[in-house]
């Protein structure tokens, strides 16, 4: 496999790990906030954002810029909900929007689990 695609597999694995036995989303949230303060998150988004280097590109891809701002906004919102102990149960998120992605990732995760379980070479 070409190494320039390895990062894409890592992103897919994050989705698949939600189907593993013992998956603990609370631990993932805790680990994330322990590792990344808000200022570091903002700095990483800026560094990873290609638009910050070339203003001409920013005009060509406003969706990426919008997504980066919204990603930072939602992370801050989740953090503020936690520290102010607001009821997250009030948030209504459409499950149907992501259900297909979750179902697909479950099928792929199950496939790789079956293949790795039946692999006697490992």
């Amino acid at each position: 496999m070409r190494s320039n695609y390895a990062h894409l597999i890592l992103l897919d694995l994050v989705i698949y790990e939600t189907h593993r036995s013992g998956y603990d989303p609370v631990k993932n949230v805790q680990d994330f906030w322990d590792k990344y303060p808000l200022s570091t998150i903002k700095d990483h988004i800026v560094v990873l954002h290609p638009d910050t280097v070339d203003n001409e590109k920013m005009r060509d891809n406003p969706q990426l810029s919008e997504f980066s701002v919204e990603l930072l906004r939602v992370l801050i919102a989740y953090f503020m909900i936690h520290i102010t102990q607001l009821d997250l149960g009030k948030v209504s998120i459409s499950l149907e929007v992501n259900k297909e992605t979750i179902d697909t990732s479950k099928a792929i995760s199950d496939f790789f689990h079956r293949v790795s379980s039946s692999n006697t070479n490992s």
Side-chain angles (χ1 to χ4, degrees):
M1 177 188 319
R2 295 178 52 191
S3 63
N4 57 343
Y5 295 115
H7 67 284
L8 297 175
I9 291 174
L10 290 175
L11 292 174
D12 283 341
L13 290 176
V14 170
I15 296 171
Y16 304 147
E17 76 183 16
T18 62
H19 305 291
R20 288 188 183 156
S21 174
Y23 171 72
D24 186 355
V26 174
K27 181 182 180 325
N28 286 349
V29 169
Q30 183 68 52
D31 290 348
F32 178 85
W33 288 114
D34 286 346
K35 187 173 183 178
Y36 300 106
L38 288 172
S39 58
T40 301
I41 295 167
K42 180 191 67 80
D43 292 343
H44 284 319
I45 290 173
V46 168
V47 169
L48 295 172
H49 212 286
D51 299 350
T52 59
V53 177
D54 186 350
N55 285 335
E56 190 64 33
K57 286 182 182 177
M58 187 160 34
R59 282 180 252 143
D60 293 339
N61 196 354
Q63 293 87 4
L64 183 58
S65 180
E66 180 182 347
F67 176 78
S68 296
V69 170
E70 290 179 5
L71 176 62
L72 182 57
R73 182 175 289 126
V74 76
L75 288 172
I76 292 170
Y78 274 118
F79 181 74
M80 295 305 294
I81 287 169
H82 176 74
I83 66 170
T84 59
Q85 299 179 344
L86 292 174
D87 180 11
L88 191 56
K90 297 176 185 176
V91 177
S92 175
I93 299 173
S94 172
L95 299 179
E96 292 187 29
V97 172
N98 294 304
K99 186 165 178 12
E100 183 178 344
T101 302
I102 292 169
D103 291 346
T104 301
S105 69
K106 173 75 170 129
I108 293 169
S109 177
D110 290 347
F111 169 77
F112 282 118
H113 182 71
R114 284 191 309 273
V115 170
S116 66
S117 296
S118 64
N119 184 358
T120 59
N121 295 328
S122 52

